[in-house]
Amino acid sequence: MSIAAPRIILIAPQLGENIGMVARAMLNCGLTDLHLVAPRDGWPSHEAERASSGALEKGVRVSIHNSTEDAIADLHYVLATTARPRDMVKEIYTPEAAIQAIHAKNSVEHNKCGILFGGERAGLDNDNIALCHGIITVPLNPEFTSLNLAQAVLLLSYEWLKIQDSTTAKQFHTGDTDIAPRESITGLVSRLEGELDAHHFFRSEGLRPSVLRNITNLFSRMNITAQEVNTFHGIISALTGKKPPLERKD
Amino acid sequence: MSIAAPRIILIAPQLGENIGMVARAMLNCGLTDLHLVAPRDGWPSHEAERASSGALEKGVRVSIHNSTEDAIADLHYVLATTARPRDMVKEIYTPEAAIQAIHAKNSVEHNKCGILFGGERAGLDNDNIALCHGIITVPLNPEFTSLNLAQAVLLLSYEWLKIQDSTTAKQFHTGDTDIAPRESITGLVSRLEGELDAHHFFRSEGLRPSVLRNITNLFSRMNITAQEVNTFHGIISALTGKKPPLERKD
């Protein structure tokens, strides 16, 4: 059973374009439940549809309300995003901690959760904040905290995406080819050594072992593929005018 | 000594407005080094300045280049953002893992790092990707992967913000007041019990302990402040017409 993503609630949003960008950011991260309280320019909005890049057609459902109370009536846990800690007694979360709390409420306690965002100009007023269980504050650069509405929604949606996601943090993508087995690299370095010998590359026999070790090390750590080993053989053949010493299987 | 944030490099960006939004997202997260390769509509851009909400005046420095090679010439480690894993042998990182790698390269190995972003329409081509050490792919909703340029920059900038930030994940903000000491809560519940008794609230003496325990528990877990204890005393006084039994110190 999949876990329901939190509802996004925009209080008195002004520009349709921003609402569209909010929808786009939401669907990017798999959120689909958007509620608007008293959008200034009305609804539906042509600007919102255009700016959503299809998100309003492809998945994000929009509900309109006259009051915040109405928009959150069926929710069990609501957090308010606001940049300034107000003179109000409240739990303050980072976006990551907020989404962890929502995820737990949602998946373990089966609560319906939502996140409140204020309009572009004024943000959320204290009456709206008082309706919420806690506050989310993004720890932005204190010298430049003016965060666009859709960007704020994106950051919370992205934390939701991350908590749901199981992508390997770092993976090596080899496409149609494979990493070369060790013997191919050994064969390549050995052929290179022979050609370098023939071309008087090693000026001092004393230094040969360490120079050769450096070359071996470079080829060892470059994660070279079978195809790229072939490319290197081709380069050596081109530069020396000689075919590879042995027919290669790959 | 502070750790230099990664350079953001936009390859052939189209709309000045998007460049401005990129600058705004960067400065929100403390990044200031923006390089543009062949911006379609030229530079400087009035649209960019307007959309940056002051970020281009207040901190983000912009450099213009004719080629990607030029824009990354002095960097030691460069990652490319792209939604599609190409048929190219490459390390693929999530945004978080990419920023961890950059942070390590930057702080431990003293390397200068950068992140490449393609233009709005086509993204990065394979020639640009080939110049990079690895790829960053945001694990977006597979049914809706169209991420706006400024949003993509924001997500990477935000991960940088997070790795630098030491904000407590969850903190209780009490403003000008303080959490009530235990004795205030005990006093409040005790007064409430007395008034409930006088008003025949406890219909069964057998249930009294558990009802009282529930009330005590509610007041215990609500993180009530000294001021709010006073407010509750005021509520009881108003409803009963009686002053609190003892003068309170707070």
Side-chain angles (χ1 to χ4, degrees):
Chain A
M1 201 181 72
S2 90
I3 299 163
R7 174 177 303 169
I8 299 295
I9 304 124
L10 309 184
I11 310 299
Q14 302 187 327
L15 298 170
E17 186 185 350
N18 280 335
I19 301 171
M21 292 291 290
V22 163
R24 181 176 179 180
M26 286 173 62
L27 196 56
N28 279 150
C29 301
L31 281 72
T32 56
D33 190 22
L34 175 60
H35 289 233
L36 309 178
V37 175
R40 186 191 67 181
D41 297 341
W43 194 263
S45 155
H46 180 65
E47 288 74 23
E49 270 165 42
R50 198 162 44 84
S52 83
S53 286
L56 287 170
E57 286 157 32
K58 288 179 192 160
V60 173
R61 302 179 311 275
V62 177
S63 306
I64 308 292
H65 304 273
N66 291 320
S67 72
T68 306
E69 285 86 344
D70 192 28
I72 65 175
D74 60 326
L75 298 182
H76 306 95
Y77 186 73
V78 184
L79 297 176
T81 53
T82 175
R84 292 151 296 199
R86 318 266 178 142
D87 183 24
M88 193 177 280
V89 178
K90 213 80 156 179
E91 207 80 62
I92 302 179
Y93 295 85
T94 62
E96 182 177 358
I99 291 297
Q100 283 166 352
I102 286 174
H103 191 261
K105 297 240 167 243
N106 197 322
S107 60
V108 181
E109 304 162 29
H110 305 294
N111 289 348
K112 290 176 76 173
C113 303
I115 305 173
L116 230 59
F117 295 83
E120 290 91 334
R121 197 151 291 256
L124 288 174
D125 63 23
N126 281 350
D127 286 339
N128 278 307
I129 295 172
L131 294 171
C132 297
H133 293 78
I135 286 171
I136 307 170
T137 299
V138 188
L140 297 171
N141 173 6
E143 285 162 31
F144 193 74
T145 58
S146 147
L147 188 66
N148 168 271
L149 175 57
Q151 308 276 54
V153 172
L154 176 66
L155 293 186
L156 272 300
S157 302
Y158 172 67
E159 290 288 2
W160 179 259
L161 180 82
K162 283 182 74 174
I163 211 169
Q164 299 270 81
D165 182 62
S166 59
T167 304
T168 305
K170 178 184 169 185
Q171 54 184 301
F172 196 69
H173 175 77
T174 53
D176 297 334
T177 178
D178 285 309
I179 290 294
R182 184 62 231 176
E183 63 180 350
S184 307
I185 301 170
T186 304
L188 175 64
V189 172
S190 162
R191 181 184 172 207
L192 184 61
E193 181 188 7
E195 292 300 339
L196 291 176
D197 246 342
H199 289 79
H200 314 292
F201 175 79
F202 300 105
R203 312 228 162 166
S204 142
E205 275 304 307
L207 287 176
R208 171 196 285 260
S210 72
V211 171
L212 205 55
R213 196 182 308 116
N214 289 345
I215 293 172
T216 302
N217 184 38
L218 176 60
F219 279 95
S220 296
R221 69 178 152 82
M222 68 167 68
N223 262 342
I224 194 167
T225 66
Q227 204 173 70
E228 290 162 340
V229 167
N230 281 353
T231 301
F232 262 105
H233 275 293
I235 290 171
I236 296 171
S237 300
L239 296 181
T240 59
K242 295 185 204 162
K243 296 255 154 148
L246 295 167
E247 188 148 345
R248 296 189 315 281
K249 284 167 286 180
D250 43 25
Chain B
M1 201 180 74
S2 89
I3 299 163
R7 176 177 302 170
I8 299 296
I9 305 124
L10 308 184
I11 310 299
Q14 302 187 328
L15 298 171
E17 186 185 351
N18 280 335
I19 301 171
M21 292 291 289
V22 163
R24 181 176 177 179
M26 286 173 62
L27 196 56
N28 279 151
C29 302
L31 282 73
T32 55
D33 190 21
L34 175 59
H35 289 233
L36 309 178
V37 175
R40 186 191 66 182
D41 297 339
W43 194 263
S45 155
H46 180 65
E47 287 75 24
E49 270 165 42
R50 199 161 43 85
S52 83
S53 286
L56 287 170
E57 286 157 32
K58 288 180 193 159
V60 173
R61 302 178 312 274
V62 177
S63 306
I64 308 293
H65 305 272
N66 290 320
S67 72
T68 306
E69 286 85 344
D70 192 27
I72 65 176
D74 58 328
L75 298 182
H76 305 95
Y77 186 71
V78 184
L79 296 176
T81 55
T82 174
R84 292 150 297 201
R86 318 268 178 141
D87 185 24
M88 193 176 280
V89 179
K90 213 80 157 178
E91 207 81 61
I92 302 179
Y93 295 84
T94 61
E96 182 177 358
I99 290 297
Q100 282 166 353
I102 285 175
H103 190 261
K105 296 241 168 244
N106 196 322
S107 59
V108 182
E109 302 163 29
H110 304 295
N111 289 349
K112 288 176 77 174
C113 303
I115 306 174
L116 231 58
F117 295 82
E120 290 91 334
R121 197 152 294 256
L124 288 174
D125 63 22
N126 281 350
D127 285 340
N128 278 308
I129 295 173
L131 294 172
C132 298
H133 292 79
I135 285 171
I136 307 170
T137 299
V138 187
L140 295 172
N141 172 7
E143 285 161 31
F144 192 76
T145 58
S146 147
L147 188 66
N148 167 272
L149 175 58
Q151 308 276 54
V153 172
L154 175 66
L155 293 186
L156 271 300
S157 302
Y158 172 66
E159 290 289 2
W160 179 260
L161 180 81
K162 282 181 74 173
I163 211 168
Q164 299 270 81
D165 182 62
S166 60
T167 304
T168 304
K170 178 183 168 185
Q171 54 184 299
F172 196 68
H173 176 76
T174 52
D176 295 335
T177 177
D178 285 310
I179 291 294
R182 184 63 231 176
E183 62 180 351
S184 307
I185 301 171
T186 303
L188 175 63
V189 172
S190 163
R191 181 184 174 207
L192 183 61
E193 182 188 6
E195 291 301 339
L196 291 176
D197 245 343
H199 289 77
H200 313 295
F201 176 78
F202 300 105
R203 311 228 163 167
S204 142
E205 275 304 309
L207 286 176
R208 172 196 285 262
S210 73
V211 171
L212 205 57
R213 194 182 310 115
N214 289 345
I215 292 173
T216 301
N217 184 38
L218 175 59
F219 278 95
S220 296
R221 69 176 151 82
M222 66 168 68
N223 262 341
I224 195 168
T225 64
Q227 203 172 71
E228 290 162 340
V229 167
N230 281 353
T231 302
F232 262 104
H233 274 293
I235 290 171
I236 295 172
S237 301
L239 295 181
T240 60
K242 296 185 204 160
K243 295 255 153 151
L246 295 169
E247 189 149 343
R248 298 188 313 282
K249 282 169 287 181
D250 43 25

